[in-house]
Amino acid sequence: MSSVAAEKYISPEEYLTAERRAEYKSEYIYGEIFAMSGASNAHNIITVEITTELNIQLRQRGCFVYSGDMRVKTKPTGSYFYPDVVVVCDKPRFEDNVFDTLLNPILIVEVLSPSTEVFDRGEKFAHYQELMSLREYILVSQDRMRVEHHRLIETHWVGNTFEAPEDVLKFNSIECELPLKDIYTRISFSD
């Protein structure tokens, strides 16, 4: 997320109306609109690898995997975000009949960028925790092999970090596994 913000309060309805006509994506937080910048090559490759692996595992189980362009609304703040990967294993619930704003993700993945890393770990995660459906939140580094896996256990979020190619992420909420080597299979960490 970049730091370009509107100078006056924008209502959620005004944001959605403008966003649906916009040429570029923006996220919405507490009445402010933030333009999104483009993603790096590594960011795009990692997002596609995760999306592909999860979709293959979930395709026959009634789950839906979305990447990049599916907006998610958090409640009660009414903030809107575009996660890198979103999974829904119930019937997808949308804000309205345009079907472009998801309300019930069970798993969200964010691929970290230098400009968004602190926000993704902090404030954005706090917004995502407002989603009653969310059970797992994944943060994936693009500049080194490192994945942070946060799971909701009863009422507390518990995090684990994985950094070895042989490590395997186990997503309990969607009954899937994803080896780190598969996430980073086409990424080179040369200086």
Side-chain angles (χ1 to χ4, degrees):
M1 165 176 298
S2 75
S3 61
V4 178
E7 294 186 18
K8 68 174 189 99
Y9 175 82
I10 305 293
S11 73
E13 295 79 17
E14 291 171 313
Y15 161 75
L16 273 181
T17 299
E19 184 68 8
R20 287 174 172 157
R21 292 190 315 246
E23 192 172 328
Y24 302 102
K25 294 187 297 187
S26 297
E27 294 185 327
Y28 174 88
I29 306 165
Y30 298 128
E32 292 186 69
I33 296 175
F34 297 87
M36 296 180 67
S37 58
S40 70
N41 182 54
H43 186 287
N44 281 303
I45 290 170
I46 290 167
T47 300
V48 168
E49 294 293 352
I50 294 169
T51 303
T52 300
E53 291 297 325
L54 291 178
N55 193 51
I56 289 169
Q57 293 181 51
L58 293 170
R59 180 180 299 149
Q60 301 302 319
R61 299 202 343 236
C63 296
F64 298 89
V65 181
Y66 302 95
S67 66
D69 286 330
M70 179 54 74
R71 189 173 37 251
V72 170
K73 179 181 181 182
T74 64
K75 294 195 180 209
T77 64
S79 296
Y80 295 85
F81 300 103
Y82 288 94
D84 293 309
V85 181
V86 181
V87 177
V88 175
C89 284
D90 286 329
K91 179 180 180 185
R93 287 189 302 112
F94 296 95
E95 182 170 34
D96 55 28
N97 63 359
V98 181
F99 306 110
D100 62 354
T101 305
L102 191 62
L103 301 175
N104 64 327
I106 192 167
L107 182 140
I108 290 176
V109 178
E110 293 285 3
V111 178
L112 300 173
S113 300
S115 63
T116 66
E117 186 168 350
V118 171
F119 181 72
D120 288 347
R121 279 197 178 95
E123 186 177 348
K124 187 181 264 189
F125 186 23
H127 284 278
Y128 285 152
Q129 289 176 38
E130 296 172 353
L131 293 160
M132 297 303 295
S133 60
L134 190 67
R135 295 296 173 260
E136 295 182 83
Y137 182 54
I138 315 303
L139 297 168
V140 182
S141 295
Q142 62 175 304
D143 57 355
R144 63 184 169 147
M145 187 172 287
R146 180 184 169 93
V147 176
E148 299 168 36
H149 181 196
H150 300 273
R151 292 184 304 137
L152 182 63
I153 299 177
E154 295 182 17
T155 60
H156 295 86
W157 286 91
V158 177
N160 292 306
T161 302
F162 300 89
E163 299 181 306
E166 62 274 5
D167 287 343
V168 177
L169 292 167
K170 296 183 183 198
F171 303 122
N172 295 336
S173 66
I174 58 174
E175 299 177 3
C176 289
E177 293 186 354
L178 184 55
L180 260 63
K181 66 178 176 54
D182 290 348
I183 294 172
Y184 293 103
T185 189
R186 295 188 289 161
I187 302 297
S188 172
F189 298 111
S190 59
D191 294 328

